[in-house]
Each structure stands twice: as C-alpha cells, then as structure tokens.
Amino acid sequence: MRGCDNSGVNPPLNADLHCHSAVSDGTLQPEALAARAHANGVELWALTDHDEIGGQRRARDAALALGLPYLNGTEISVTFAGQTVHIVGLGFDVDDAALVAGLAATRGGREARAREMAAGLAQVGIEGAFEGALKYVGNPELISRTHFARHLVESGVCSDTYEVFRRFLIEGKPGYVPHRWASLGDAVRWITRAGGVAVIAHPGRYKFSANEEYALFTEFKAHGGSGVEVVTGSHGPADFVKYADMALEFDLLASRGSDFHSPGESRTDLGTLPALPARLTPVWQALEPRVQRA
Ligand code: AMP
Ligand code: MN
Ligand code: MN
Ligand code: MN
C-alpha cells in the first residue's frame, strides 16, 4: 500500500518517521536510505538509529539535497517494568549536551552484553558468535541482537532473522541477556529538553499486561512524552485501531513509521504504510517548526 489517503482533517502527508541505518542495526547507509525514502514517495523523513545520532547530519544533508523535508530522530532503549521499551525522539537539537551524553551512556553496556550473549550461544554449540556478529556491525558501539541474527543466518544456523530471534535471542532463549537500559523518565527528558517530541515506539510489540501498559502510557505522559506510534511496520490492523483509541484516551499525537532496517529483511519498506486514522492528530503538526527543508 503506497502513500496516504488522509482526506479529512489530517494533511495527506506520506511521513515515515522511523527507520535504521548501518550506524545502528540497519544495512543501508544514511544516504542510501534518503534516496530510497525519496524514491518511495516519502514526503517527510526521519532516521531513528538505536541510541545513536551519529548519522543525523548525513541523513539530513542527503534528504535536503533531494528536496525531502527532514526531522532529526533517534530510538532510545528503555527498561520499564522489567521489559525493553523503545522511545522515539523527533525534532530535537543534535548538539544538546545532555541528550548526547545520555545516548552515549545508553550505548555503553552493549559490548559486555554481546560477549555474554555469545557465551550463552556457545553453551548450545554455537561458537564464535561475538566475532561473527562483529562482521556485520557498522558502529562498534552499537552491536545489537540484529547483528547476531545476521551472523546466524549467514552461517547457516537459521534460514532468516525472524527464526534466529524465535530460537535464540528472545527472553528464555540461550542468546538472551537481560539488560538495564535508560529509564523512561530520563529518555523522555533527554528528548524534550533538547526541543524534541518523545513518542512511544510500536506499543503493540510489548508483552505487557493491560495494567502495565496503562502504567507505561500514564508515566510516559507524566514525564512529558506526547506521542505514540499508531501506524508502524510492527502493527497489524487491530493494533492500528487499539492504539488510535489509546492516542485519543491519553491525548497523544500519532506517529507513523515503517521501522525499515534492510531490503532483504524488513517486511515493510519506507513510505509504504497505510495512512494514520483521520481522527488522530499527526505528530508532524506539532513538529512543523522543527522540520528542516532545503
Ligand atoms: P537490541 O537493541 O540489541 O536488543 O536489538 C533489538 C533489535 O532487534 C530491534 O531493534 C529489532 O531490529 C530486532 N528485533 C527485536 N525483536 C525481533 C524479532 N522478534 N524478530 C526480528 N527482529 C527483532
Ligand atoms: Mn533494530
Ligand atoms: Mn524498536
Ligand atoms: Mn526501530
């Protein structure tokens, strides 16, 4: 499904405000992503690498050279109620010192965690996974489960990355290592104090009880968060309805993003999601002053 038929109150804008480059766990460079977004009809774009803003200037420069309006972005890993939650930040100042320091601290534990993951995999007979995963890493500070997944596919252990996660990398599996990421309040404040908008990423992916999910939304708002992804590559049609209702209940702005990582892996390409439900206020209305244009 291409584009956005958002007749009614919302402007018909093909915004894609969530994706990853090789600066985190995507496979394309920021310039190639900008070209792909533009070719796919994206009209407002943000690169949102995990815990990292090192690709922002490259993404913006490439986007503006194509006439594609750009918002600075990132996706921060947070621990909430014992689970990992992702908070997308949009439209912040990339030079904000507290944000830069907070992201660096969040990236900090990844190497030790990756070594523990490799030790867990070695116990089930998969040797050398740390070195194997490193071959796929574009940014040494950002070794992630995705890089282990690529290594286990390329070495023939699994046929695709989804199978790797199912068998080895999710909670209860041998390569899973619980990790303490940023706190919800810190992540939201790093973003908002840098002039940006904080957005709960793909809420339909978390395995929370109804009470825990309610607490996540309530605390997120209390910390100054103001958006939620309603239409994302991780949501199906039932999630679109559920999180549209939640956006209205919690008076949150709605975001839309493919979460594209790689042409060979991702099920949703840049710019190909359905429109936001017309009853919602798009997050890009509030971000208009933060949009960068050529
Ligand atoms: P990490 O930050 O190292 O925990 O890695 C998380 C990343 O792994 C996410 O951002 C996704 O790109 C990917 N991922 C997480 N869960 C899955 C899954 N079930 N199937 C495929 N990819 C996943
Ligand atoms: Mn990822
Ligand atoms: Mn995510
Ligand atoms: Mn993502």
Side-chain angles (χ1 to χ4, degrees):
M1 231 180 303
R2 166 73 66 89
C4 204
D5 174 26
N6 230 351
S7 44
V9 271
N10 295 340
L13 189 77
N14 189 350
D16 193 322
L17 305 181
H18 188 152
C19 69
H20 300 272
S21 77
V23 175
S24 65
D25 64 345
T27 59
L28 301 182
Q29 296 299 327
E31 293 79 7
L33 281 171
R36 192 177 184 99
H38 183 250
N40 285 2
V42 172
E43 296 168 298
L44 175 64
W45 180 51
L47 170 65
T48 55
D49 278 313
H50 296 286
D51 308 319
E52 175 62 279
I53 55 176
Q56 289 305 304
R57 286 197 171 79
R58 289 171 60 192
R60 183 215 40 208
D61 289 352
L64 300 197
L66 292 162
L68 170 58
Y70 187 75
L71 280 167
N72 291 334
T74 189
E75 181 178 21
I76 305 181
S77 310
V78 159
T79 301
F80 182 83
Q83 289 192 46
T84 300
V85 165
H86 286 168
I87 301 296
V88 161
L90 297 169
F92 49 79
D93 171 5
V94 291
D95 296 317
D96 183 87
L99 173 68
V100 168
L103 293 176
T106 306
R107 290 194 296 274
R110 280 187 178 267
E111 182 180 334
R113 168 187 183 240
R115 290 191 187 278
E116 270 191 72
M117 289 171 61
L121 291 169
Q123 290 203 335
V124 293
I126 300 169
E127 301 289 342
F130 180 79
E131 293 72 20
L134 262 192
K135 293 195 188 122
Y136 298 91
V137 167
N139 173 355
E141 285 190 329
L142 226 296
I143 183 163
S144 87
R145 284 186 289 165
T146 315
H147 302 111
F148 281 85
R150 288 188 186 128
H151 167 62
L152 294 197
V153 171
E154 286 305 310
S155 56
V157 176
C158 292
S159 57
D160 62 41
T161 54
Y162 295 94
E163 185 192 341
V164 183
F165 274 88
R166 232 179 12 254
R167 288 178 53 197
F168 296 107
L169 298 181
I170 57 174
E171 193 171 353
K173 303 297 176 182
Y176 181 78
V177 174
H179 195 72
R180 183 103 207 140
W181 302 109
S183 75
L184 179 64
D186 281 347
V188 170
R189 282 185 291 276
W190 295 335
I191 295 163
T192 54
R193 289 181 183 171
V197 167
V199 175
I200 299 174
H202 44 61
R205 265 174 58 170
Y206 311 129
K207 308 281 180 249
F208 286 132
S209 66
N211 280 346
E212 288 168 335
E213 184 177 67
Y214 193 87
L216 170 66
F217 276 68
T218 304
E219 291 185 31
F220 171 76
K221 281 264 317 189
H223 290 304
S226 55
V228 59
E229 285 184 348
V230 173
V231 174
T232 108
S234 304
H235 284 177
D239 297 312
F240 298 160
V241 175
K242 174 176 175 184
Y243 293 104
D245 289 345
M246 294 276 279
L248 292 173
E249 181 182 351
F250 284 87
D251 193 23
L252 292 168
L253 302 161
S255 194
R256 174 179 188 264
S258 57
D259 208 358
F260 179 78
H261 283 69
S262 173
E265 295 166 12
S266 297
R267 292 171 178 163
T268 306
D269 205 340
L270 284 158
T272 65
L273 286 166
L276 283 179
R279 60 197 171 112
L280 304 179
T281 306
V283 70
W284 49 89
Q285 277 186 13
L287 283 162
E288 182 52 39
R290 312 291 299 175
V291 174
Q292 302 173 78
R293 295 186 167 83

